[in-house]
């Protein structure tokens, strides 16, 4: 990190007397989001070592992918390259992946299982318990509200999620389902209909403003989340650059450029964010690039919410960014999305209370 800071200073010709390094202190902590006790341990450590938290970026997660349907991939990429390299239909996902047991096998507790969906726990529920546990630290920022930045994906398709299977255990699209749930939770977190549940998740502080929740995605980065042979990683990366050169705004390709939107959400002034949302509504922010690779934070369309929850408003939507099957937002669609938000917040709060109770019961 220090080497990167010095390189950045040199590149941008920062005045040598500017004391950047002394202001930065890195505190490394480890947590297994698939183990709830590990999450609880981190919460205790953070309370012992930090007086407050301004922002938490919930970036860790699992893909749960098992491979690629190669015949379908070849056909899809040859016939509809830009769409398929952005919204791929050929990835294979595992079904029914579970975490290790969270507690001893339940006997009288009434719990259905001692395990949780692995992708669900890593991508959503582990983060959910963490944020609830550190809500006080996020509320101790007196100048501006603390920020919770959920990291989603372009692949948060509405068709992959069902409230009846919130953990995605029976679906080959557990990753996409978890990201759809992430979108729903973040985008409905300030709607009046969900407040009875959100206020239990982040109890309103008596003397400060409660944290605000945002959602972002990194665009499309060349990472190892999809298990393919190492030589194909280079082919994938080349395909991403090609997609960018022919007009895709979402192929950030590198994780550094993919960090643009969440970092901007973390660093932008509250006045700027409030002004943008006042005009265009609360929305999902994505890391985008032009054909030369210049990154920016850009509005992203969400099925059932549009780009800001406003019917008929597509201002700020990048060219060539839409899913082929995307439909314009309607009042009926927005109402269904809000109701789904209520159901998701209710289910998540009930699940949190249940599991916190089970862990306490085992401790006793």
């Amino acid at each position: 990190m220090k080497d990167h800071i010095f390189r950045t200073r040199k590149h941008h010709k920062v005045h040598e007397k500017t004391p950047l390094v002394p202001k930065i202190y890195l505190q490394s902590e480890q947590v297994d989001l698939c183990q709830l006790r590990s999450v609880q341990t981190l919460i205790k450590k953070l309370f012992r070592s930090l007086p407050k938290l301004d922002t938490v970026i919930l970036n860790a997660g699992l893909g749960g992918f098992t491979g690629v349907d190669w015949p379908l991939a070849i056909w899809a990429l040859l016939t509809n390259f830009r769409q398929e390299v952005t919204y791929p239909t050929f990835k294979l996902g595992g079904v029914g992946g579970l975490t290790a047991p969270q507690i001893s096998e339940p006997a009288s507790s009434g719990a259905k299982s001692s395990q949780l969906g692995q992708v669900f726990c890593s991508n959503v529920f582990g983060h959910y318990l963490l944020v609830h546990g550190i809500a006080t630290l996020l509320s101790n920022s007196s100048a501006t509200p603390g920020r919770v930045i959920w990291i989603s994906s372009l692949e948060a398709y509405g068709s992959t999620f069902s409230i009846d299977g919130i953990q995605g255990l029976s679906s080959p699209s557990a990753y996409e389902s978890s990201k759809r749930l992430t979108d729903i939770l973040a985008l409905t977190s300030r709607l009046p209909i969900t407040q009875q549940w959100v206020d239990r998740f982040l109890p309103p502080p008596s003397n400060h403003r409660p944290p605000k929740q945002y959602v972002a995605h990194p665009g499309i980065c060349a990472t190892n989340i999809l298990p393919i042979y190492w030589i194909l990683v280079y082919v994938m990366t080349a395909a991403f650059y090609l997609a960018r050169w022919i007009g895709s705004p979402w192929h950030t390709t590198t994780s550094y450029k993919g960090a643009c939107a969440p970092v901007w959400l973390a660093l932008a002034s509250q006045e700027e964010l409030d002004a943008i949302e006042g005009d265009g509504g609360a929305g999902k922010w994505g890391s985008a690039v032009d054909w030369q690779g210049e990154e920016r934070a850009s509005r992203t369309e969400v099925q059932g919410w549009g780009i800001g929850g406003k019917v008929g408003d597509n201002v700020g939507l990048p060219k060539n960014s839409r899913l082929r099957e995307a439909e314009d937002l309607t009042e009926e669609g927005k109402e269904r999305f809000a109701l789904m938000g209520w159901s998701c917040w209710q289910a998540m709060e009930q699940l949190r209370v249940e599991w916190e109770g089970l862990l306490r019961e085992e401790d006793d």
Side-chain angles (χ1 to χ4, degrees):
M1 174 62 77
K2 288 185 177 180
D3 289 343
H4 173 73
I5 292 171
F6 281 122
R7 288 196 301 270
T8 303
R9 286 162 60 94
K10 185 176 180 180
H11 176 72
H12 293 287
K13 298 181 180 179
V14 178
H15 195 281
E16 288 300 319
K17 293 184 179 180
T18 304
L20 287 179
V21 177
K23 294 182 179 180
I24 297 175
Y25 172 71
L26 300 179
Q27 177 177 315
S28 177
E29 301 287 355
Q30 292 186 351
V31 62
D32 182 352
L33 290 167
C34 288
Q35 284 297 306
L36 304 186
R37 290 202 181 279
S38 177
V39 174
Q40 290 184 330
T41 298
L42 175 60
I43 292 169
K44 293 174 183 177
K45 286 184 178 179
L46 293 177
F47 269 97
R48 287 196 300 264
S49 60
L50 297 174
K52 68 172 184 175
L53 277 170
D54 298 308
T55 302
V56 57
I57 300 177
L58 307 173
N59 183 49
L62 293 174
F65 303 116
T66 58
V68 173
D69 182 337
W70 287 110
L72 176 59
I74 293 169
W75 171 255
L77 291 170
L78 288 176
T79 57
N80 196 12
F81 177 78
R82 188 168 62 197
Q83 186 77 188
E84 287 292 334
V85 84
T86 307
Y87 304 102
T89 59
F90 46 78
K91 293 188 296 184
L92 301 176
V95 178
L98 295 170
T99 65
Q102 305 290 338
I103 56 174
S104 302
E105 285 297 331
S108 60
S109 65
K112 297 179 181 178
S113 172
S114 64
Q115 297 167 286
L116 289 158
Q118 185 182 45
V119 174
F120 165 77
C121 194
S122 173
N123 293 5
V124 186
F125 194 56
H127 289 134
Y128 192 90
L129 285 189
L130 175 62
V131 172
H132 173 76
I134 60 175
T136 302
L137 292 177
L138 285 164
S139 299
N140 284 346
S141 181
S142 57
T144 59
R147 297 176 192 175
V148 177
I149 302 173
W150 294 87
I151 301 300
S152 182
S153 167
L154 281 169
E155 299 175 70
Y157 312 126
S159 60
T160 63
F161 178 76
S162 169
I163 187 63
D164 296 325
I166 195 169
Q167 297 190 43
L169 286 172
S170 60
S171 171
S173 304
Y175 173 80
E176 293 86 348
S177 173
S178 72
K179 295 305 181 182
R180 176 64 172 178
L181 175 58
T182 297
D183 282 0
I184 295 171
L185 292 173
L187 292 173
T188 62
S189 64
R190 281 176 260 164
L191 296 182
I193 193 174
T194 64
Q195 290 313 295
Q196 69 180 102
W197 304 112
V198 177
D199 287 348
R200 299 182 191 186
F201 172 58
L202 293 173
S206 58
N207 56 340
H208 298 304
R209 287 180 287 178
K212 288 193 172 184
Q213 299 183 61
Y214 298 91
V215 62
H217 70 83
I220 301 172
C221 304
T223 68
N224 61 356
I225 194 171
L226 184 65
I228 56 176
Y229 292 113
W230 67 269
I231 190 66
L232 294 176
V233 173
Y234 294 100
V235 177
M236 176 182 69
T237 304
F240 288 177
Y241 278 113
L242 177 59
R244 178 199 293 179
W245 294 333
I246 63 175
S248 169
W250 297 132
H251 285 81
T252 49
T253 308
T254 67
S255 55
Y256 186 89
K257 293 184 182 296
C260 175
V263 170
W264 174 75
L265 279 173
L267 299 180
S269 69
Q270 194 61 53
E271 292 75 14
E272 180 181 5
L273 294 178
D274 290 345
I276 293 173
E277 292 191 342
D279 292 336
K284 180 177 179 177
W285 290 95
S287 299
V289 289
D290 60 21
W291 73 273
Q292 294 177 305
E294 292 296 321
E295 67 270 20
R296 66 188 185 280
S298 182
R299 291 281 203 171
T300 305
E301 188 172 21
V302 175
Q303 290 174 297
W305 185 254
I307 65 169
K310 294 188 175 183
V311 176
D313 184 5
N314 284 330
V315 176
L317 190 63
K319 184 180 179 182
N320 300 322
S321 66
R322 300 188 82 185
L323 178 67
R324 182 172 52 190
E325 295 80 11
E327 298 179 354
D328 290 340
L329 180 63
T330 63
E331 289 291 351
E332 294 78 9
K334 181 181 176 181
E335 182 178 352
R336 286 195 298 270
F337 192 89
L339 290 172
M340 181 60 74
W342 186 92
S343 298
C344 290
W345 276 106
Q346 179 194 40
M348 291 295 290
E349 270 302 286
Q350 290 175 344
L351 199 61
R352 176 187 66 79
V353 171
E354 176 187 0
W355 276 100
E356 287 181 342
L358 290 171
L359 294 172
R360 282 195 302 269
E361 181 181 314
E362 187 168 73
D363 289 339
D364 296 338

